[in-house]
Each structure stands twice: as C-alpha cells, then as structure tokens.
Amino acid sequence: MQQDEFSDPFEVLESVELAVIVLKVGADGLPRYSAINSKAREFTEFEYKDFAGKTALELYGGATGRRALNLHLSVIESRQEATYDIVLPTEHKPKNLRTTLRPVFNDQGAVVYLVGSSADVTSEMERDEALELTKMALEKAEEASQAKERFLANMSHEIRTPMNGILGMCELLKETELNEQQALFANTIFNSANALLSVINDILDFSKIKADKISLHDAPFSLLDLVQDVGTLLWAKAAYKGIELRTDYPEEMPREFVGDASKVRQILMNLLGNAIKFTEQGNVTLRVSFNESEPGCPLRIQVSDTGIGIDKEQLSWIFSAFEQVNRQVTRVVEGTGLGLAITKALVERMGGQISVSSTPGQGTVFTVSLNVKPLEDGDPGKQAAVPFLQDNRKALRANSGTSALDLKPEELAGLRVLIAEDNKTNQLVLRKMLKSSGADLCFAENGQLAVDFYMSSPRDLILMDLSMPVLGGLEATRLIRAHEKASGLAECPIVAFTANAQPSDVEACLAAGMNDFLAKPFRKIELLARMIQHAKGGVSHWAGAPSE
C-alpha cells in the first residue's frame, strides 16, 4: 500500500475494533508514534500527550523499549510486514500484545509510516502457560509414580531376599533336635518373620492400589474350590485360638464363575483373617449366595463373627487406611490397618460394593456384593474352568502338623538340578533343604554361568533367579530356549526362583519361556512340591504366583 501523507488526527481509526498504532519515520530514520486509536490507548493506558512524537525506546524505556524499537527498525530495513509478541508494562497487570506491523511507502518507494494492529493475547498466553505447567506437572507426577513403583519393586526384592534366608534357616533349625526353650525361640523367630512378610505384602498392595496399578484378569474359576481352599488355609489359625471356622456354600449354587479369582481370594482372605483376629471365642462364618434377579451384583459373600464388634462411631472410618477397630487394643492386635482398605479398593475395582454392620460385644458382619457371573455351558472356555489350586500344597502349608517329608523328597534322587542363585545365604538354604533328596545340585552364581553350565551339561530342572550379575534370569532363559531350539533338544523345565514378586514379573517370566514361578521367601514344602511336580512332568498352573 502506498500513501504520500496521512490526514491528522486520523479520526477513522477510532471506529476500528482492533488496537491500531501509526508510527511516522522521521528524517533521522527513527519511527515515532504519530497516532494510536482508542483500543490501543486502552491497552497501553497512554494518552496522546504521552506517546506523540516519541520512539518506543523513549516511550517505554529499558529492555521493552529497546526490543520494540529494534522490531520497528527491522520492518523498515526488511520492507516487509512482521508479527511479534511483546509484553507491555502497565500500571496494572502487564499485557501480552501480538502485533502485526506493516510498512507504508511513498511514491519514491521510501518507508514513511509503520501501521500496526495489535491483539491482547494475555489470557491466551496464560492459558497456554497453564496448560504447559499442567503438562509438566503430569509428566513429573508420572515420573514420580514410576520412580515409586521401581522403588517398591527394589525394596520388595531387597527385603524378600534376606527374609528367604531367615525363614529358610529357621525352618531348617526347627527340623533339628531342640529342647523346649530352643523350640520356643525358633518358633518365635519364624512367626515374627512371617508377620513381617505380611506387613510388607500389605504395604505393596496398598501402594499399587493408590497408584491405580491394579488390573483385573478375568478367567473361568471354581468358586467352590476357592472357598474351600481359603477355609483350609485359615482353619489352623482359627483352631489355635479355639474358635470354629465355618463355610456355607449352598449345594444348589453355581460352582464355576468368570472373574478374577486371585482378587476374590484376596478379599476372602482379608475378611476372614480380620474376623479371626478380632474373635476370641465362638465362631467365624463365611456364607456365599447367588441371586440371579439381583441387578448388577448377584454374588453375595458374608463374613460374620462373634468377636468384639465395632462401635457405631468407628464404622465411618473402618475402611480407612492404617486404622484398626478398638484403638485401645492396637498394641495387642497385630497388623498394618490396611487389610480393610485394600479389600474395599479391590471390591470397588471389580464393580462391587462392601458394607459392614456390627454390635459391640456381639460381633460383626461384612457383606460383599460382586458382579461376577456364573460360567454357562455354552461359554467359551467352559472346559478351562479348573479348581483354583491344582494340588494340596497350600492345604499342607496350613496344617501345622504336616511335614515337608510327606512329599517324599526321595522322588528327586538323581534329578540333575541347575540352580542359578548369586546370594550365598540362599545357596546354603537350598543345599540344606535339598540335602536329603539325593538330587544332583549344580550352582551358578550368575545367569551367564547358568547358560554355560546348561550348554555343556544338560539338566533335568533349572531353578532360575531373576536378578543376578553379568546376566539376568530372563536373558539367561531366552538363551537357553534358543540353544534348545537350535540343537533340537526338549525344553528343560525352568522355575523362576526370585524375590521379584510383582505380577509383572510373573508375566515377564512366562513370556521369556519359563514354566513356573516360586516367589521368595518360600517354604521347604513349596520347593519340594514344585520340584517333584516338574520331575514327574507335571504341567504348571502357576499356582504359586503372587496375586496383584
């Protein structure tokens, strides 16, 4: 656009909705403000006498004035329009203006005016800044969550490894000739270590729930077998206190359902364990019912007890974290106070509901309603519905009078076993636990040695730790499977044998080609049962995998 001269006082600019500025280029080549319309005066809070005849540097001064003047001069030099953002200092809140500045030429082609239109983008920039800050905060929160998850996994591993030594050696000690006092000491150590392990598991479960890391894995399962298994596991605990543990599963009720069996099991274990803990006499009863006409949650589970009960004012926080009923007895009753908080979170994650009613001194009833459907005859996977446990290993664990020797460790005689384990204490525990079995044991202190040993001398069974120097258990397993495939060898059973007890570890082991999973710390009876199972060519159902 070309123009010889503007008329003054540019009344036409006053009707323009945009903020408009006009600068006249003087004989010295400096652009000076000639006019700004009412919208621009509103933005800048200047009057005519404040800006007329001044350069940007004279008007604003400082860094803002220098930047604005340089931008004006660059448009004159380039002879092309330019768009830029600038922050104007005002008496109130600083304003972010986005200006498009155009040169105006005379007939000789010289730049005589600069005409700019500006928009207030303060709110837009504040919004973008807020979004960027939110994005950064979310990224930091995700990083913190991942760091927390790594920390918990590492701490779980570091705690479980020495716990395996404590529990393993204590169990071996209990099998020796002990006098009454020594047996008392050994049992106290063993029970205290198990209590510590329970606390560790509760904290890990609660941390995963808080981080929303709990996922559901629905599959066909036998609810009847699951209920019977939980009852068997807790029977000894109830009998020790002199109370009766009852389970009521109606004969006409469906037995097979589709859902996450490990979550249902954890809910039952938490509620029954909690009821036994707070009941000193009488009974604890587990009742299961199914009502197809009940919308949403047809499966109902009730756990009732004849224990101390819960005061009315305590019911409002009974499902809160780190709380226990009857605070005055918190030094008598062990536990983290996380069991009911974890149970409520699991029930709600499965789309169900949990409620509680209680009469102090008479007992408490917890009611869980779950949206778990029965397995129909025509459903895919009907044949896949199996008992939650494939054998009686956990029942044996629950029976305090059962010895590991009942599993006939002599069945392992001559079995060539490769054990990849870098911890010296755990190597000693394994040597002692398997001494009477007659198995041929070979130890490798890292994954690379395990691969080398297996390639030079094939084995019948491999117990593989995950976290080892030089080469980890997953990488070692992949190399062994690749060697077997290339050599045309049958696959050797590989049991993950590790303190990495997260569900993701189970999945990683299965994906790497392992056949089973044994989490540390373990009992001798578990180790022998698992080895005998694979020695007989048994198919693992991952019954020993930890629940989420």
Side-chain angles (χ1 to χ4, degrees):
M1 93 185 253
Q2 293 185 342
Q3 180 76 27
D4 286 330
E5 185 177 355
F6 276 96
S7 60
D8 196 28
F10 305 114
E11 292 89 348
V12 68
L13 297 180
E14 295 300 313
S15 63
V16 178
E17 287 296 323
L18 289 174
V20 179
I21 60 173
V22 179
L23 299 97
K24 185 174 183 179
V25 181
D28 57 0
L30 294 177
R32 290 177 170 83
Y33 288 95
S34 175
I36 63 176
N37 69 351
S38 58
K39 195 69 173 177
R41 291 196 298 275
E42 177 186 326
F43 285 170
T44 61
E45 300 179 3
F46 288 145
E47 297 298 332
Y48 182 78
K49 60 182 176 57
D50 298 321
F51 66 82
K54 295 180 180 179
T55 65
L57 180 58
E58 294 168 337
L59 181 60
Y60 296 109
T64 300
R66 284 192 297 273
R67 182 169 183 270
L69 178 58
N70 288 334
L71 289 167
H72 297 168
L73 292 173
S74 68
V75 172
I76 295 172
E77 183 180 354
S78 68
R79 301 170 63 83
Q80 295 181 350
E81 74 173 45
T83 299
Y84 56 87
D85 293 338
I86 194 165
V87 180
L88 294 184
T90 64
E91 290 184 7
H92 302 93
K93 183 180 178 182
K95 285 188 171 61
N96 294 279
L97 297 184
R98 182 163 296 158
T99 299
T100 298
L101 195 64
R102 301 176 180 84
V104 179
F105 307 95
N106 62 14
D107 289 340
Q108 288 74 43
V111 178
V112 290
Y113 286 101
L114 298 175
V115 179
S117 58
S118 302
D120 185 355
V121 293
T122 303
S123 297
E124 179 183 337
M125 294 186 73
E126 287 177 345
R127 182 196 64 206
D128 291 344
E129 184 179 355
L131 289 173
E132 184 64 26
L133 289 173
T134 301
K135 181 181 177 182
M136 291 174 61
L138 289 173
E139 289 175 351
K140 288 183 178 180
E142 180 62 25
E143 289 175 3
S145 176
Q146 291 176 358
K148 176 183 175 183
E149 194 172 354
R150 289 193 299 271
F151 172 79
L152 288 171
N154 290 338
M155 286 301 97
S156 173
H157 180 272
E158 294 305 315
I159 292 171
R160 285 172 180 273
T161 297
M163 285 290 290
N164 190 67
I166 295 170
L167 287 167
M169 295 304 291
C170 188
E171 188 172 8
L172 291 169
L173 177 63
K174 290 170 62 179
E175 292 180 359
T176 64
E177 293 290 335
L178 300 175
N179 61 36
E180 186 176 348
Q181 187 179 49
Q182 291 170 335
L184 174 63
F185 292 166
N187 284 326
T188 301
I189 295 171
F190 189 77
N191 292 335
S192 296
N194 272 310
L196 177 58
L197 183 62
S198 178
V199 170
I200 293 168
N201 290 335
D202 275 355
I203 292 173
L204 290 173
D205 280 344
F206 186 69
S207 298
K208 286 184 288 184
I209 288 169
K210 293 294 287 183
D212 198 24
K213 297 294 184 181
I214 295 294
S215 56
L216 299 179
H217 303 285
D218 290 343
F221 72 98
S222 170
L223 180 61
L224 175 60
D225 288 331
L226 191 154
V227 168
Q228 291 176 342
D229 170 55
V230 170
T232 302
L233 280 170
L234 295 176
W235 173 84
K237 186 176 181 180
Y240 178 79
K241 296 186 69 175
I243 61 177
E244 184 181 0
L245 177 59
R246 305 169 179 171
T247 57
D248 180 8
Y249 197 105
E251 187 174 343
E252 68 277 7
M253 216 185 96
R255 297 188 176 190
E256 297 173 350
F257 288 79
V258 177
D260 192 320
S262 67
K263 301 297 186 298
V264 177
R265 180 178 182 274
Q266 189 172 1
I267 290 167
L268 294 180
M269 289 289 291
N270 285 353
L271 291 178
L272 283 172
N274 197 67
I276 294 170
K277 181 191 301 183
F278 290 101
T279 302
E280 297 302 324
Q281 58 183 359
N283 62 78
V284 172
T285 303
L286 167 62
R287 291 186 177 88
V288 184
S289 61
F290 183 78
N291 186 357
E292 288 183 301
S293 62
E294 187 72 25
C297 299
L299 180 63
R300 174 168 292 186
I301 299 168
Q302 280 193 332
V303 174
S304 59
D305 63 62
T306 57
I308 60 177
I310 306 170
D311 292 335
K312 184 176 181 181
E313 60 271 15
Q314 294 176 317
L315 292 176
S316 59
W317 48 258
I318 191 64
F319 293 109
S320 300
F322 305 107
E323 296 286 0
Q324 293 180 325
V325 298
N326 283 24
R327 292 174 176 171
Q328 66 268 24
V329 297
T330 54
R331 288 300 177 193
V332 178
V333 179
E334 295 179 348
T336 60
L338 288 174
L340 290 179
I342 292 171
T343 300
K344 183 174 187 291
L346 291 175
V347 169
E348 292 179 347
R349 182 69 180 83
M350 297 176 71
Q353 300 173 341
I354 184 170
S355 61
V356 57
S357 61
S358 183
T359 302
Q362 297 184 23
T364 303
V365 178
F366 284 91
T367 302
V368 173
S369 299
L370 293 176
N371 185 19
V372 179
K373 307 297 184 184
L375 185 67
E376 303 294 340
D377 289 338
D379 285 351
K382 168 66 178 176
Q383 299 304 316
V386 295
F388 187 72
L389 294 180
Q390 300 301 318
D391 50 48
N392 66 344
R393 279 172 287 166
K394 292 194 175 182
L396 290 172
R397 289 177 61 191
N399 188 341
S400 58
T402 301
S403 167
L405 297 179
D406 293 339
L407 289 171
K408 299 180 181 179
E410 59 271 16
E411 295 182 26
L412 298 176
L415 188 74
R416 297 171 300 172
V417 183
L418 173 59
I419 301 174
E421 169 62 73
D422 62 307
N423 185 277
K424 296 295 185 182
T425 300
N426 285 331
Q427 288 183 13
L428 177 61
V429 169
L430 287 165
R431 288 184 193 276
K432 297 299 183 181
M433 283 186 171
L434 298 175
K435 183 178 179 180
S436 63
S437 70
D440 177 13
L441 305 182
C442 175
F443 285 85
E445 296 184 353
N446 61 64
Q448 186 59 59
L449 285 176
V451 174
D452 295 341
F453 286 161
Y454 182 73
M455 288 184 176
S456 63
S457 178
R459 295 273 140 176
D460 301 314
L461 178 66
I462 300 174
L463 300 180
M464 182 76 74
D465 191 16
L466 293 195
S467 299
M468 293 182 290
V470 185
L471 194 67
L474 295 178
E475 294 83 356
T477 298
R478 294 188 186 100
L479 290 176
I480 289 173
R481 291 302 185 221
H483 167 71
E484 291 171 335
K485 185 176 182 181
S487 304
L489 299 174
E491 286 192 354
C492 175
I494 300 178
V495 178
F497 179 80
T498 175
N500 294 341
Q502 302 296 317
S504 57
D505 297 314
V506 179
E507 295 172 1
C509 291
L510 182 60
M514 296 186 182
N515 305 92
D516 210 338
F517 190 101
L518 183 61
K520 298 175 186 174
F522 56 85
R523 295 284 303 278
K524 180 178 179 179
I525 193 172
E526 292 178 292
L527 176 64
L528 291 174
R530 202 64 55 87
M531 293 177 68
I532 291 171
Q533 177 190 22
H534 288 288
K536 292 180 176 180
V539 179
S540 170
H541 294 276
W542 295 73
S547 63
E548 282 187 271

